[in-house]
Amino acid sequence: MQIKKAVIPVAGFGTRFLPITKALPKTMLPIVDKPAIHYLVEEAVNSGIAEIIIITGQDKKPLEDYFNRSKALENHLINTGKLDLLEMIKKISSMAEIHFVTQEEVLGLGHAIYCARRFMNKDEAFAVLLGDDVVVSIEPCISQLIKVFNNYQASIIGVQNVPNSEVSKYGIVSGHNVTDRLVKVGDLVEKPDEESAPSNLAILGRYIIHSEIFDILRALRPGAGGEIQLTDALKELNKTQEVYSYIFQGTRYDTGNKLGHLKATIDLALQDETIGHDFKNYLIKMTSHSR
Ligand code: UTP
């Protein structure tokens, strides 16, 4: 089995980012000059994925506009001789084969993934990248997971250690170490209390999942928060086949909240070739004034 498809669910209401998310999908918020979804699609493409299924809410138009070609803009850039910009925007439309699927009701992440079922074959595994989680790393995060999948041919969950005080925000896995970075999953629990959490290995928005998950999701009852939880479905999958979690390398930003989004913006702006140097000087000046 080879991983050729990715699902990117972005249909959540984005309540932590209101009011802007009333009118604009959270994943279209810019991190420097590209929307968050661009970084996710780029990560998938740089990991060898050719087909991407984006699960949207009712507000998918800005996403479609971003990935579709704009003849008028292209003509304008040709006529004004801005050929480097022309190249850049044409590349966005040709990065991958992108399908949009509307999640009619926001019933939870598990339900959002279920909406991608018609794109998957019976014996197939696919990548999942959550819209909120932007990972900056030398090797793309999902490529790290694909490598592990290629060795084990089993579902792989991307995790990192988080402070004990934060376990209640995440799905948490526990199990036994196969290597320093690979844990064979024993148990999974969605948003446990600090006291009852089985570990501090948190699921951070990257998965390789076997398509058998769809049969489980079809029958799954709502879990934490009254939502159909992907973590609950993975817990079920773990009863019938091996599931592993992999501690990936890289910095992960939760761009679904204001602070995480600002951190990603600052870090990526500092790395930007055109503004990084000036922005750094500005930050130094700002921070020395505020002392
Ligand atoms: P979150 O719960 O973090 O996103 O879901 P949210 O619901 O948009 O955020 P808040 O809490 O209201 O601010 C994780 C990911 O799963 C997607 C979200 O878009 C996000 O990328 N999701 C969640 C769906 O696509 N559909 C759902 O029904 C729920």
Side-chain angles (χ1 to χ4, degrees):
M1 265 191 278
Q2 278 199 326
I3 307 299
K4 288 285 164 213
K5 297 173 194 162
V7 179
I8 307 182
V10 297
F13 284 117
T15 52
R16 288 167 296 160
F17 234 119
L18 280 169
I20 182 66
T21 44
K22 184 166 178 273
L24 192 68
K26 177 170 55 176
T27 196
M28 286 304 295
L29 295 177
I31 301 174
V32 191
D33 54 359
K34 294 187 215 118
I37 187 76
H38 184 116
Y39 294 90
L40 295 167
V41 169
E42 209 166 47
E43 179 185 328
V45 169
N46 290 340
S47 305
I49 286 168
E51 196 175 342
I52 296 177
I53 300 109
I54 301 181
I55 313 295
T56 70
Q58 302 293 343
D59 51 358
K60 65 177 170 191
K61 179 105 183 15
L63 279 147
E64 287 177 335
D65 288 347
Y66 187 76
F67 287 106
N68 285 344
R69 286 181 72 171
S70 163
K71 278 280 168 211
L73 177 60
E74 285 179 23
N75 286 339
H76 170 74
L77 294 173
I78 292 168
N79 293 338
T80 50
K82 294 177 180 160
L83 300 184
D84 47 343
L85 291 180
L86 177 70
E87 211 41 51
M88 179 177 81
I89 63 141
K90 277 171 78 174
K91 211 172 139 196
I92 295 170
S93 313
S94 61
M95 274 202 284
E97 185 184 339
I98 298 181
H99 309 277
F100 294 95
V101 177
T102 306
Q103 186 187 17
E104 297 293 342
E105 264 188 286
V106 182
L107 297 177
L109 174 59
H111 180 261
I113 301 303
Y114 186 65
C115 293
R117 65 194 178 281
R118 70 184 165 91
F119 290 92
M120 304 300 168
N121 300 319
K122 259 251 154 290
D123 196 17
E124 180 167 14
F126 57 93
V128 172
L129 297 88
L130 297 198
D132 287 354
D133 295 286
V134 171
V135 179
V136 176
S137 52
I138 295 164
E139 179 178 4
C141 180
I142 206 71
S143 162
Q144 298 175 43
L145 266 57
I146 289 174
K147 276 191 183 156
V148 183
F149 173 84
N150 289 342
N151 278 334
Y152 289 83
Q153 297 284 309
S155 298
I156 315 285
I157 304 172
V159 294
Q160 282 189 336
N161 286 295
V162 297
N164 292 340
S165 57
E166 290 188 16
V167 290
S168 61
K169 291 195 217 160
Y170 300 101
I172 299 291
V173 304
S174 61
H176 72 262
N177 277 74
V178 181
T179 67
D180 279 0
R181 294 194 166 271
L182 191 67
V183 174
K184 186 171 177 309
V185 174
D187 198 14
L188 295 108
V189 47
E190 185 62 28
K191 301 189 173 73
D193 299 335
E194 193 176 335
E195 297 72 37
S196 62
S199 84
N200 60 354
L201 278 181
I203 304 174
L204 297 181
R206 294 293 183 278
Y207 312 77
I208 306 293
I209 306 180
H210 198 280
S211 60
E212 277 178 28
I213 201 80
F214 294 121
D215 289 336
I216 295 171
L217 284 168
R218 185 178 303 120
L220 200 67
R221 302 269 128 239
E227 298 193 334
I228 309 284
Q229 296 288 356
L230 182 61
T231 305
D232 295 344
L234 289 165
K235 192 181 165 97
E236 282 303 306
L237 189 71
N238 192 39
K239 289 180 186 164
T240 57
Q241 53 182 258
E242 291 185 345
V243 176
Y244 292 85
S245 60
Y246 182 73
I247 306 175
F248 62 81
Q249 284 172 298
T251 307
R252 170 260 183 188
Y253 300 92
D254 178 3
T255 62
N257 73 63
K258 285 182 265 189
L259 185 60
H261 184 267
L262 284 171
K263 284 181 185 171
T265 303
I266 288 174
D267 285 3
L268 288 168
L270 286 169
Q271 290 172 31
D272 187 282
E273 277 175 16
T274 53
I275 60 162
H277 178 74
D278 290 348
F279 184 54
K280 185 175 177 184
N281 288 338
Y282 174 72
L283 283 184
I284 292 169
K285 202 168 116 202
M286 282 282 288
T287 44
S288 59
H289 279 183
S290 62
R291 273 202 203 115

